[in-house]
Amino acid sequence: PARRTIRIGVAGGHYFAKIHSGIGWREILKELLHLKRPVLGARNEWRALQLLPRIGVHTMTPVAYGLRGRNPARMRSFLITEELTGTTSLEDLAAVWAVRPPSSRLRHALIEQVAAIVRRMHAHGLNHRDCYLCHFHLDLASAHEPVDPTRLRLYVIDLHRAQVRRCTPRRWVIKDLAGLYFSSLAGGKLTRADRWRFIRAYEQQPLRRILRERAAFWRRVERTALSLHRRLH
């Protein structure tokens, strides 16, 4: 309720403006009681959009940011980004896989690129907090038609809840990875072999070593994802 998004046209170009108004002390206290950092405005997304290109992750192009006020409950801010065109979300792309399966090369390339992006974000202290397939967009122009697995370009979008720190806490790493797992469950988009491929690409370790040293971590990711799936379905 404290954020609205509008599409605007300026000098022949199109942009999206996210306008944040104050969320009020009640919402701030509710978030704090749940041990969550409240989203007070557009600053989170602005910081994330500054960081991602520096670490080699494609995202929206920011063009303007503004902030007014010091009272966290009544602070107002805005963020304007260039419109992202010619893309499709991985959620939409995977939705047709049941009737039009992709080539194994394309499937593997997408899984490994998503894993590499998320690994890079976490390694540089950024967690998304809404890390679902719908927030990874494939650039159709760079991939060509039919999609060329060797020319993929993925964009990460909708970062208004993202957090940037020196080091990503384990709790938020698990939440991001569980979000991806959860969003892959709808419609049976990914197989167990696909998930192992993702884990290997994310960990950058042989599977034998992962099973020996990180099995408990990935069981926690799976439990978190399945718990979210049960709660929502």
Side-chain angles (χ1 to χ4, degrees):
R3 187 184 79 251
R4 64 193 180 102
T5 302
I6 58 174
R7 182 175 182 265
I8 56 179
V10 180
H14 288 93
Y15 306 84
F16 279 96
K18 290 184 180 179
I19 303 167
H20 296 251
S21 55
I23 64 175
W25 283 112
R26 176 179 293 181
E27 185 66 21
I28 290 174
L29 291 173
K30 185 180 78 172
E31 291 289 285
L32 293 174
L33 287 172
H34 286 87
L35 303 179
K36 296 179 181 178
R37 183 185 298 180
V39 178
L40 301 178
R43 185 170 180 266
N44 283 22
E45 190 158 17
W46 173 255
R47 292 184 66 200
L49 294 179
Q50 301 301 305
L51 173 64
L52 289 178
R54 296 202 301 267
I55 64 174
V57 176
H58 299 292
T59 187
M60 303 169 294
T61 301
V63 294
Y65 163 72
L67 173 69
R68 174 185 291 168
R70 296 185 176 181
N71 181 338
R74 301 180 62 185
M75 194 181 301
R76 302 186 68 196
S77 61
F78 72 88
L79 171 70
I80 300 176
T81 59
E82 291 182 3
E83 182 180 34
L84 198 59
T85 60
T87 70
T88 185
S89 77
L90 294 191
E91 181 178 65
D92 291 339
L93 188 69
V96 300
W97 284 3
V99 292
R100 292 202 306 272
S103 70
S104 58
R105 287 180 64 232
L106 174 59
R107 193 183 190 99
H108 296 166
L110 285 169
I111 291 168
E112 290 169 1
Q113 192 163 141
V114 170
I117 289 171
V118 179
R119 174 184 171 85
R120 199 170 297 148
M121 291 194 304
H122 291 165
H124 288 85
L126 188 151
N127 61 285
H128 194 293
R129 292 184 72 184
D130 289 309
C131 196
Y132 307 117
L133 289 177
C134 61
H135 293 149
F136 291 81
H137 275 229
L138 175 65
D139 184 344
L140 296 176
S142 68
H144 293 274
E145 185 63 39
V147 177
D148 183 351
T150 66
R151 304 185 62 171
L152 301 181
R153 175 180 292 180
L154 292 178
Y155 292 86
V156 179
I157 69 167
D158 281 1
L159 293 142
H160 66 273
R161 297 211 308 149
Q163 297 172 329
V164 179
R165 307 176 178 85
R166 181 168 297 178
C167 180
T168 307
R170 184 175 185 269
R171 169 192 178 215
W172 289 108
V173 170
I174 289 172
K175 283 185 175 292
D176 271 3
L177 294 170
L180 271 178
Y181 193 153
F182 160 78
S183 61
S184 77
L185 293 173
K189 295 182 178 70
L190 296 182
T191 66
R192 181 166 293 276
D194 291 332
R195 291 193 281 273
W196 281 120
R197 180 176 295 275
F198 176 92
I199 290 171
R200 283 198 304 270
Y202 180 88
E203 293 280 7
Q204 293 289 287
Q205 297 288 344
L207 186 55
R208 186 185 299 273
R209 183 171 180 179
I210 297 169
L211 290 172
R212 185 173 66 247
E213 300 178 3
R214 298 275 286 172
F217 171 85
W218 287 101
R219 281 198 298 269
R220 176 74 180 276
V221 170
E222 184 175 40
R223 284 198 303 269
T224 303
L226 295 178
S227 174
L228 178 60
H229 190 267
R230 285 193 298 269
R231 193 159 67 243
L232 295 181
H233 297 280

PDB file of all heavy atoms in Angstrom, residues 205-213:
ATOM      1  N   GLN A 205      31.631 -26.939  -6.447  1.00  0.00           N
ATOM      2  CA  GLN A 205      32.328 -28.061  -5.819  1.00  0.00           C
ATOM      3  C   GLN A 205      31.808 -29.363  -6.416  1.00  0.00           C
ATOM      4  O   GLN A 205      30.668 -29.424  -6.890  1.00  0.00           O
ATOM      5  CB  GLN A 205      32.095 -28.077  -4.295  1.00  0.00           C
ATOM      6  CG  GLN A 205      32.618 -26.873  -3.538  1.00  0.00           C
ATOM      7  CD  GLN A 205      34.127 -26.847  -3.450  1.00  0.00           C
ATOM      8  OE1 GLN A 205      34.789 -27.863  -3.693  1.00  0.00           O
ATOM      9  NE2 GLN A 205      34.683 -25.697  -3.106  1.00  0.00           N
ATOM     10  N   PRO A 206      32.616 -30.440  -6.365  1.00  0.00           N
ATOM     11  CA  PRO A 206      32.111 -31.745  -6.804  1.00  0.00           C
ATOM     12  C   PRO A 206      30.947 -32.200  -5.922  1.00  0.00           C
ATOM     13  O   PRO A 206      30.898 -31.876  -4.720  1.00  0.00           O
ATOM     14  CB  PRO A 206      33.320 -32.673  -6.632  1.00  0.00           C
ATOM     15  CG  PRO A 206      34.504 -31.775  -6.560  1.00  0.00           C
ATOM     16  CD  PRO A 206      34.028 -30.493  -5.942  1.00  0.00           C
ATOM     17  N   LEU A 207      30.040 -32.941  -6.514  1.00  0.00           N
ATOM     18  CA  LEU A 207      28.856 -33.381  -5.789  1.00  0.00           C
ATOM     19  C   LEU A 207      29.222 -34.205  -4.563  1.00  0.00           C
ATOM     20  O   LEU A 207      28.581 -34.080  -3.508  1.00  0.00           O
ATOM     21  CB  LEU A 207      27.954 -34.187  -6.725  1.00  0.00           C
ATOM     22  CG  LEU A 207      26.595 -34.609  -6.174  1.00  0.00           C
ATOM     23  CD1 LEU A 207      25.807 -33.415  -5.679  1.00  0.00           C
ATOM     24  CD2 LEU A 207      25.820 -35.360  -7.253  1.00  0.00           C
ATOM     25  N   ARG A 208      30.235 -35.039  -4.662  1.00  0.00           N
ATOM     26  CA  ARG A 208      30.635 -35.876  -3.530  1.00  0.00           C
ATOM     27  C   ARG A 208      31.005 -35.007  -2.310  1.00  0.00           C
ATOM     28  O   ARG A 208      30.625 -35.304  -1.187  1.00  0.00           O
ATOM     29  CB  ARG A 208      31.824 -36.753  -3.929  1.00  0.00           C
ATOM     30  CG  ARG A 208      32.226 -37.768  -2.866  1.00  0.00           C
ATOM     31  CD  ARG A 208      33.486 -38.499  -3.295  1.00  0.00           C
ATOM     32  NE  ARG A 208      33.285 -39.224  -4.542  1.00  0.00           N
ATOM     33  CZ  ARG A 208      32.801 -40.460  -4.598  1.00  0.00           C
ATOM     34  NH1 ARG A 208      32.474 -41.091  -3.488  1.00  0.00           N
ATOM     35  NH2 ARG A 208      32.648 -41.054  -5.766  1.00  0.00           N
ATOM     36  N   ARG A 209      31.737 -33.931  -2.574  1.00  0.00           N
ATOM     37  CA  ARG A 209      32.134 -33.049  -1.473  1.00  0.00           C
ATOM     38  C   ARG A 209      30.932 -32.300  -0.897  1.00  0.00           C
ATOM     39  O   ARG A 209      30.842 -32.101   0.314  1.00  0.00           O
ATOM     40  CB  ARG A 209      33.187 -32.057  -1.969  1.00  0.00           C
ATOM     41  CG  ARG A 209      33.715 -31.133  -0.876  1.00  0.00           C
ATOM     42  CD  ARG A 209      34.894 -30.328  -1.351  1.00  0.00           C
ATOM     43  NE  ARG A 209      35.385 -29.462  -0.315  1.00  0.00           N
ATOM     44  CZ  ARG A 209      36.430 -28.654  -0.462  1.00  0.00           C
ATOM     45  NH1 ARG A 209      37.097 -28.625  -1.624  1.00  0.00           N
ATOM     46  NH2 ARG A 209      36.813 -27.878   0.526  1.00  0.00           N
ATOM     47  N   ILE A 210      30.024 -31.873  -1.772  1.00  0.00           N
ATOM     48  CA  ILE A 210      28.817 -31.183  -1.291  1.00  0.00           C
ATOM     49  C   ILE A 210      28.020 -32.092  -0.365  1.00  0.00           C
ATOM     50  O   ILE A 210      27.563 -31.664   0.709  1.00  0.00           O
ATOM     51  CB  ILE A 210      27.949 -30.741  -2.492  1.00  0.00           C
ATOM     52  CG1 ILE A 210      28.702 -29.724  -3.352  1.00  0.00           C
ATOM     53  CG2 ILE A 210      26.621 -30.141  -2.011  1.00  0.00           C
ATOM     54  CD1 ILE A 210      28.031 -29.439  -4.686  1.00  0.00           C
ATOM     55  N   LEU A 211      27.840 -33.351  -0.765  1.00  0.00           N
ATOM     56  CA  LEU A 211      27.079 -34.303   0.053  1.00  0.00           C
ATOM     57  C   LEU A 211      27.770 -34.549   1.392  1.00  0.00           C
ATOM     58  O   LEU A 211      27.112 -34.786   2.411  1.00  0.00           O
ATOM     59  CB  LEU A 211      26.912 -35.614  -0.704  1.00  0.00           C
ATOM     60  CG  LEU A 211      25.967 -35.564  -1.911  1.00  0.00           C
ATOM     61  CD1 LEU A 211      26.031 -36.851  -2.704  1.00  0.00           C
ATOM     62  CD2 LEU A 211      24.535 -35.281  -1.464  1.00  0.00           C
ATOM     63  N   ARG A 212      29.077 -34.490   1.398  1.00  0.00           N
ATOM     64  CA  ARG A 212      29.813 -34.736   2.630  1.00  0.00           C
ATOM     65  C   ARG A 212      29.818 -33.524   3.567  1.00  0.00           C
ATOM     66  O   ARG A 212      29.693 -33.671   4.780  1.00  0.00           O
ATOM     67  CB  ARG A 212      31.253 -35.122   2.285  1.00  0.00           C
ATOM     68  CG  ARG A 212      32.095 -35.523   3.501  1.00  0.00           C
ATOM     69  CD  ARG A 212      33.453 -36.060   3.100  1.00  0.00           C
ATOM     70  NE  ARG A 212      34.281 -35.037   2.475  1.00  0.00           N
ATOM     71  CZ  ARG A 212      34.667 -35.044   1.204  1.00  0.00           C
ATOM     72  NH1 ARG A 212      34.286 -36.035   0.397  1.00  0.00           N
ATOM     73  NH2 ARG A 212      35.420 -34.071   0.703  1.00  0.00           N
ATOM     74  N   GLU A 213      29.913 -32.326   2.991  1.00  0.00           N
ATOM     75  CA  GLU A 213      30.132 -31.140   3.821  1.00  0.00           C
ATOM     76  C   GLU A 213      28.943 -30.183   3.889  1.00  0.00           C
ATOM     77  O   GLU A 213      28.874 -29.377   4.815  1.00  0.00           O
ATOM     78  CB  GLU A 213      31.355 -30.376   3.295  1.00  0.00           C
ATOM     79  CG  GLU A 213      32.641 -31.192   3.324  1.00  0.00           C
ATOM     80  CD  GLU A 213      33.815 -30.424   2.745  1.00  0.00           C
ATOM     81  OE1 GLU A 213      33.622 -29.232   2.388  1.00  0.00           O
ATOM     82  OE2 GLU A 213      34.919 -30.992   2.660  1.00  0.00           O
TER      83      GLU A 213
END
